[in-house]
Amino acid sequence: MRQRALFVKLCVLVPSWHLPLAPPRLKILWEKMEKFKDKVQVTDKIVLGGDRMIMFAGPCAAESYDICMETGSKVKVLCEALRIDYVFKSSFDKANRTSSGSYRGPSLESGLEILSRVKKDLNVPIVTDVHESYQCEEVATVVDVLQIPAFLCRQTDLLKAAARTGKAVKVKKGQFMSPEDMKYAVDKVRGEGNDKVFLTERGASFGYHNLVVDIRSLPIMRQYSPVVFDVTHSIQQPGGMGGSSGGQREFAPFLARAAAAAGVDGFFIETHPNPKKALSDGPNMIPLDEMGEFLGMIYRFWSLSASLKQKA
């Protein structure tokens, strides 16, 4: 009866689900999501693929120490209240900007200094992206997770260099990649003796200046590793503003709820105190003052999804 009640509750929250599907069949729905059994030790205290949701969040670029601290402080408090494990995210360099005239970040040296201070002052783990193989060793002295950008997810030397640091490696699925092919990116990292690797969905190119999210990719990639859903880059419109990228922030709640219902292990969200004045990716970032409601919404769906998986 409890299983039936949970299922009815999900149908109310997500109207597109229909009651005629009998609860015993839920086990079939979750089968693919359960194929990769191992958990990934992201840090000494954080495990991906377990019974706690993980949030990777922060401003797109490490514009300043103050912006990073304001953002990280707020998100940390929100995550602690919801019992969500938090990893602060920001980038020292945005090497794939649409235009060479766009802001890229504070540079490797200055950016790592900012991230190091944030890590110490907030007492949170850090994730940031690397674009060149030579960056990995130095960046790994500061951060806890190395992120491989979507455009670079096939770069063998970069994946191997990141793996050899011994840090957790977060690989974004390329906008041009099928989810099945991400198995080989995972294999490249594991081939260096590093099992701390996981994948991130961020949408697929669908014509010019447009991305779509195929929810089927989540259970497909979950066969190879835990999976994180990148909410804000999935609503990005690459190059859509003529020399810079646009975004459709209004669709973020819908995609986030869908991913939570599908059973992802964590989320990636870029947020900023004032997205309109952000120096990078403002149109698709979630305003910091809306993050409380946004995280609460995601967590409710994620928790219900996790409960159904346990009951199936």
Side-chain angles (χ1 to χ4, degrees), residues 44 47 63 73 156 203 214 232 296 301:
D44 290 341
V47 175
E63 301 173 18
S73 298
T156 301
D214 181 357
T232 42
F301 274 75

Side-chain angles (χ1 to χ4, degrees), residues 17-301:
W17 285 49
H18 299 291
L19 285 174
L21 180 60
R25 291 189 59 199
L26 287 173
K27 187 172 182 62
I28 298 174
L29 295 178
W30 294 117
E31 226 170 36
K32 277 188 176 291
M33 297 297 290
E34 293 295 341
K35 285 197 174 178
F36 184 79
K37 298 292 185 181
D38 295 336
K39 301 174 178 63
V40 169
Q41 196 78 37
V42 178
T43 71
D44 290 341
K45 298 181 179 180
I46 297 178
V47 175
L48 186 65
D51 58 0
R52 285 175 66 99
M53 191 175 106
I54 298 185
M55 179 62 58
F56 302 85
C60 177
E63 301 173 18
S64 69
Y65 170 76
D66 290 341
I67 290 289
C68 288
M69 282 299 293
E70 180 181 357
T71 306
S73 298
K74 177 71 176 289
V75 177
K76 180 183 179 182
V77 170
L78 294 172
C79 286
E80 287 177 345
L82 291 168
R83 297 185 70 250
I84 298 172
D85 289 326
Y86 177 47
V87 180
F88 177 84
K89 182 273 167 185
S90 200
S91 300
F92 61 82
D93 182 24
K94 308 299 295 183
N96 57 354
R97 298 303 304 276
T98 303
S99 168
S100 61
S102 298
Y103 175 77
R104 287 183 53 166
S107 78
L108 176 62
E109 183 178 354
S110 299
L112 288 182
E113 181 181 353
I114 291 172
L115 295 177
S116 179
R117 291 176 64 192
V118 171
K119 180 177 182 175
K120 178 182 178 182
D121 295 346
L122 284 183
N123 191 29
V124 294
I126 305 289
V127 58
T128 197
D129 25 20
V130 288
H131 297 85
E132 304 280 354
S133 299
Y134 75 85
Q135 297 173 339
C136 294
E137 187 174 352
E138 183 175 0
V139 172
T141 63
V142 173
V143 309
D144 303 270
V145 183
L146 297 179
Q147 178 171 278
I148 306 299
F151 284 128
L152 302 177
C153 68
R154 287 174 55 115
Q155 297 299 103
T156 301
D157 290 344
L158 179 60
L159 288 162
K160 289 189 172 186
R164 287 194 292 268
T165 67
K167 299 288 186 175
V169 181
K170 177 179 181 292
V171 187
K172 286 195 171 186
K173 180 180 76 65
Q175 302 91 324
F176 49 88
M177 293 283 286
S178 72
E180 293 88 351
D181 288 344
M182 291 307 295
K183 173 186 183 300
Y184 305 108
V186 170
D187 289 345
K188 289 175 183 179
V189 175
R190 291 193 182 129
E192 296 300 305
N194 187 344
D195 291 331
K196 295 184 291 186
V197 56
F198 55 100
L199 296 171
T200 300
E201 170 60 57
R202 56 134 313 146
S205 295
F206 191 73
Y208 302 118
H209 304 153
N210 195 32
L211 298 171
V212 296
V213 176
D214 181 357
I215 295 297
R216 295 176 301 175
S217 71
L218 303 176
I220 290 171
M221 293 196 298
R222 192 58 176 77
Q223 297 175 95
Y224 319 129
S225 79
V227 173
V228 170
F229 181 64
D230 182 344
V231 177
T232 42
H233 285 104
S234 294
I235 56 172
Q236 189 183 57
Q237 294 177 306
M241 295 181 67
S244 64
S245 292
Q248 294 177 301
R249 191 183 298 127
E250 65 270 23
F251 291 115
F254 301 98
L255 295 181
R257 289 198 295 262
V264 295
D265 302 286
F267 293 85
F268 177 100
I269 298 177
E270 290 185 337
T271 179
H272 192 280
N274 189 347
K276 290 183 178 180
K277 292 186 177 181
L279 301 180
S280 176
D281 274 1
N284 48 268
M285 281 199 278
I286 305 300
L288 185 59
D289 62 5
E290 297 178 16
M291 280 292 283
E293 182 179 357
F294 198 85
L295 292 186
M297 172 199 69
I298 294 175
Y299 186 70
R300 288 193 297 273
F301 274 75

